[in-house]
Amino acid sequence: MELATQPLSKRRDAYYWRLLATALCFFLFGLGGLCLRLMIFPLLNLLPGHTERRRQRARHTISRLFWLFIRLMARTGVLTYEVQGAERLGRPGQMIIANHPSLIDVVFLIGLVRDANCVVKRKLWENPFTCGPVCATGYISNDGSAEMLDNAAEVLRSGQTLIVFPEGTRTRPDHAPEFHRGASAIALRGAALITPVVIKVSPTTLTKAEPWYRIPLRRVHFSLRVGADIDPNAFAAMGPPPVASRKLNDYLHHYFIKELAADERSTS
């Protein structure tokens, strides 16, 4: 898997070219979601295999298509990217925790991990472009219920990889990430290990309440860095679940603030 792009020509770095290419990419993304729902997944369901096998095929399909989408955005000059440590993603019982600066963070991570589960927003089940993929893959709805926490923990205990964005929504530009404790509660209940992924987008784009067509004046660069594993058992031993969850959440929060601040200093 190619994890870094080469510099593109000045012509492709032009603003209006990138605006046109961005529109094309998002049009194809929406069209692809409809095709998956109406054509591809119904055909995949005709193949032999039990429910879990069909779900695995759906996840592999989504992962490959998401990575193709990232490569399309890179090839057309919309963005560049680099990924450090991707080989350590996708292990059994691994909970991948990432900050959430951009709309396509989840596209990057699912594209990198072929058979990952993911906690995603409830409204994706109501969107005609995305309801097909999230239903077929068995992704977990982030409805904030105790049942959601139990389901996510069970997914980890069964040996699946789970992607979680503890903020629950995209980070506001120029603000530090704010983590909810639900991710820590899930990790303490079922994760074999926690792996942080620090995502940096420069300049910021596709942030919360920002339309796709409001692109920055220069081409965007995505940087994804996989951090050292964290043992949830070390925090579980610190006290009863509410205390352990708070301590783990505080640790993760400070970890991401520190890593993002280090990135800012290195680029200034």
Side-chain angles (χ1 to χ4, degrees):
M1 182 181 294
E2 189 177 354
L3 297 182
T5 58
Q6 298 299 318
L8 301 177
S9 67
K10 289 185 178 180
R11 179 182 66 83
R12 290 190 174 183
D13 200 28
Y15 177 86
Y16 290 107
W17 166 256
R18 288 186 293 110
L19 180 60
L20 178 63
T22 301
L24 174 64
C25 289
F26 277 98
F27 170 77
L28 292 176
F29 189 89
L31 181 63
L34 281 178
C35 290
L36 284 169
R37 178 185 179 184
L38 300 177
M39 298 173 56
I40 296 177
F41 286 150
L43 290 175
L44 289 176
N45 287 335
L46 295 177
L47 298 176
H50 49 74
T51 301
E52 183 56 36
R53 178 58 182 151
R54 290 197 296 270
R55 186 173 298 164
Q56 187 180 55
R57 282 196 292 259
R59 290 179 184 172
H60 278 248
T61 301
I62 291 294
S63 177
R64 293 182 184 278
L65 289 176
F66 274 11
W67 194 250
L68 181 62
F69 177 74
I70 295 297
R71 295 295 304 133
L72 174 65
M73 297 189 83
R75 291 296 186 185
T76 55
V78 173
L79 55 80
T80 59
Y81 63 87
E82 60 179 336
V83 182
Q84 301 175 26
E87 69 281 356
R88 294 191 287 112
L89 299 178
R91 288 172 284 171
Q94 180 185 44
M95 185 170 175
I96 299 171
I97 288 184
N99 59 310
H100 198 3
S102 169
L103 178 65
I104 60 173
D105 303 329
V106 66
V107 179
F108 267 101
L109 288 177
I110 290 178
L112 287 167
V113 186
R114 285 287 177 254
D115 189 24
N117 205 326
C118 188
V119 177
V120 297
K121 290 183 177 180
R122 175 63 194 173
K123 67 180 182 181
L124 294 181
W125 271 262
E126 303 165 1
N127 186 319
F129 298 101
T130 56
C131 65
V134 295
C135 288
T137 52
Y139 291 159
I140 299 170
S141 171
N142 185 13
D143 58 12
S145 66
E147 183 180 3
M148 182 275 290
L149 298 178
D150 292 338
N151 290 341
E154 179 57 34
V155 159
L156 288 163
R157 287 193 293 267
S158 70
Q160 298 182 43
T161 300
L162 181 65
I163 298 170
V164 179
F165 295 93
E167 295 169 86
T169 187
R170 280 166 278 170
T171 313
R172 290 178 295 169
D174 301 321
H175 286 72
E178 298 179 4
F179 286 3
H180 300 291
R181 205 179 295 179
S184 296
I186 293 169
L188 292 171
R189 294 185 192 189
L193 69 158
I194 304 166
T195 305
V197 178
V198 178
I199 303 175
K200 179 76 184 334
V201 185
S202 179
T204 60
T205 189
L206 299 173
T207 58
K208 189 173 179 62
E210 184 179 31
W212 66 265
Y213 53 81
R214 192 174 296 166
I215 66 172
L217 294 177
R218 61 185 175 89
R219 189 171 38 176
V220 177
H221 181 71
F222 279 76
S223 172
L224 287 82
R225 186 174 67 253
V226 180
D229 295 335
I230 300 167
D231 182 6
N233 293 324
F235 291 88
M238 293 182 177
V243 174
S245 178
R246 176 174 54 81
K247 289 182 178 294
L248 176 56
N249 188 67
D250 289 345
Y251 176 86
L252 291 170
H253 184 224
H254 291 304
Y255 173 89
F256 277 89
I257 289 177
K258 179 181 177 181
E259 292 297 313
L260 290 169
D263 285 343
E264 290 292 341
R265 289 193 298 270
S266 65
T267 57
S268 60

